[in-house]
């Protein structure tokens, strides 16, 4: 089937219970593959911790005057989006590509699984790992680094969940232009580098010129960073929160369109 068939196939029925059962079975199989893949397990479990430690040593000299952020605030709130990028995005691109090239996706589509169930089932293990690591970061911040509990837990949860969903969708969209599992390391670089440099992970946007900051707030991960900081540290006017929510949802919708329109279920020629 061609890329344009993605949105039109409904797959099997059976209601929510049957769909949940199919997702559980597929996620269990994907978890087994994840555990067996040492590189993926390293990226999922150890790379985020190493990156947080690296960020700590890197941002100690960051110009934080006037931002209301301490070095600990910046590192811990940046750690959550970093976990989502490293655990979800970087692991899912090669997963989707390898399943496509090995005809796994094609075979799955011949059964009862719906298209969205196939993509979601593949994502569930790494999303679960990422959410657990985000929870550990929040707990560690409160218990070990004497950070205050989240000021707006609702915004923090929304930011994390939106970020996880966005990383799943952008991974599927990036898989469209990724020919091999090996090339996933290259096709993932643009979003990774843009997010590291321009989404406020290492340098808060508040220290940048207003015009530059306004442009950078349109990047995919910037609203996630903003929502996490508003949720954990407080602050954020209603208009700023709505802008972050709107930008994240807009990127999610763009990614959904790209996946429905161009995602390939069979090996690229």
């Amino acid at each position: 089937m061609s890329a344009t068939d993605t949105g039109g196939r409904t797959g099997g029925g059976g209601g929510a219970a049957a769909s949940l059962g199919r997702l559980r079975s597929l996620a269990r199989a994907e978890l087994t593959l994840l555990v067996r893949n040492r590189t993926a397990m390293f990226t999922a479990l150890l790379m985020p911790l190493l990156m947080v430690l690296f960020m700590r040593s890197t941002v100690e000299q960051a110009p934080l005057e006037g931002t209301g952020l301490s070095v600990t605030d910046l590192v811990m709130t940046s750690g959550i989006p970093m976990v989502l990028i490293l655990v979800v995005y970087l692991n899912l691109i090669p997963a989707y590509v390898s399943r496509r090239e090995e005809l796994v996706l094609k075979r799955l589509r011949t059964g009862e699984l719906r298209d969205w169930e196939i993509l979601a089932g593949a994502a569930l293990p790494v999303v679960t790992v990422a959410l657990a690591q985000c929870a550990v970061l929040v707990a560690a911040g409160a218990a070990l680094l004497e950070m205050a509990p989240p000021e707006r837990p609702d915004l923090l949860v929304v930011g994390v969940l939106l970020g996880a969903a966005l990383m799943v969708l952008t991974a599927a969209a990036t898989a469209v232009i990724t020919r091999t599992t090996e090339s996933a390391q290259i096709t993932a670089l643009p979003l990774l580098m843009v997010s590291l440099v321009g989404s406020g992970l290492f340098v808060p946007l508040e220290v940048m010129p207003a015009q530059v900051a306004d442009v950078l707030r349109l990047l995919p991960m910037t609203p996630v960073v903003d929502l996490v900081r508003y949720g954990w540290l407080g602050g954020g006017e209603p208009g700023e929160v709505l802008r972050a929510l709107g930008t994240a949802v807009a990127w999610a919708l763009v990614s959904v369109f790209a996946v429905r329109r161009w995602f390939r279920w069979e090996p690229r020629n």
Side-chain angles (χ1 to χ4, degrees):
M1 295 185 181
S2 67
T4 56
D5 294 329
T6 305
R9 183 178 174 277
T10 57
S19 179
L20 183 60
R22 293 191 292 266
L23 278 174
R24 187 183 301 114
S25 298
L26 184 55
R28 187 182 303 115
E30 289 290 339
L31 178 60
T32 300
L33 294 173
L34 176 64
V35 171
R36 291 176 178 174
N37 188 327
R38 294 182 179 179
T39 301
M41 284 297 292
F42 173 79
T43 304
L45 297 179
L46 296 180
M47 183 66 77
L49 174 61
L50 295 176
M51 283 300 299
V52 170
L53 295 176
F54 171 73
M55 288 176 64
R56 178 78 188 189
S57 62
T58 302
V59 304
E60 285 182 347
Q61 304 302 321
L64 300 180
E65 296 80 4
T67 66
L69 296 172
S70 67
V71 170
T72 299
D73 292 339
L74 178 62
V75 171
M76 297 304 289
T77 55
S78 295
I80 289 178
M82 184 68 67
V83 164
L84 298 177
I85 295 172
L86 294 177
V87 178
V88 180
Y89 183 67
L90 293 190
N91 276 298
L92 270 184
I93 298 172
Y96 286 143
V97 173
S98 65
R99 307 297 182 270
R100 180 191 70 206
E101 298 302 309
E102 294 167 2
L103 300 178
V104 174
L105 297 182
K106 183 178 181 180
R107 288 195 296 269
L108 288 174
R109 292 189 95 212
T110 63
E112 294 183 348
L113 284 163
R114 299 181 175 94
D115 289 348
W116 71 268
E117 291 173 345
I118 296 173
L119 299 177
L124 273 176
V126 290
V127 169
T128 301
V129 171
L131 294 181
Q133 290 192 344
C134 291
V136 168
L137 279 177
V138 175
L144 303 178
L145 302 176
E146 299 182 352
M147 292 183 67
E151 294 279 345
R152 292 282 307 275
D154 55 330
L155 280 184
L156 179 58
V157 171
V158 168
V160 171
L161 293 180
L162 268 176
L166 187 58
M167 290 298 94
V168 172
L169 291 167
T170 51
T174 305
V176 173
I177 59 172
T178 307
R179 289 188 174 273
T180 65
T181 305
E182 292 75 17
S183 64
Q185 302 176 21
I186 304 224
T187 56
L189 278 179
L191 178 64
L192 175 63
M193 298 307 298
V194 165
S195 298
L196 292 178
V197 173
S199 290
L201 290 172
F202 283 87
V203 179
L205 300 188
E206 289 80 2
V207 305
M208 299 183 182
Q211 296 86 348
V212 174
D214 288 341
V215 173
L216 295 179
R217 290 192 190 279
L218 299 177
L219 295 174
M221 283 305 291
T222 306
V224 178
V225 176
D226 286 342
L227 289 171
V228 168
R229 288 196 177 135
Y230 297 154
W232 197 339
L233 306 176
E237 299 295 329
E240 295 173 329
V241 173
L242 288 176
R243 177 184 60 190
L245 287 170
T247 304
V249 171
W251 275 108
L253 292 176
V254 169
S255 298
V256 167
F257 172 80
V259 173
R260 288 174 61 90
R261 178 66 179 83
W262 292 297
F263 190 81
R264 294 179 179 270
W265 298 92
E266 300 180 19
R268 298 173 62 97
N269 295 326

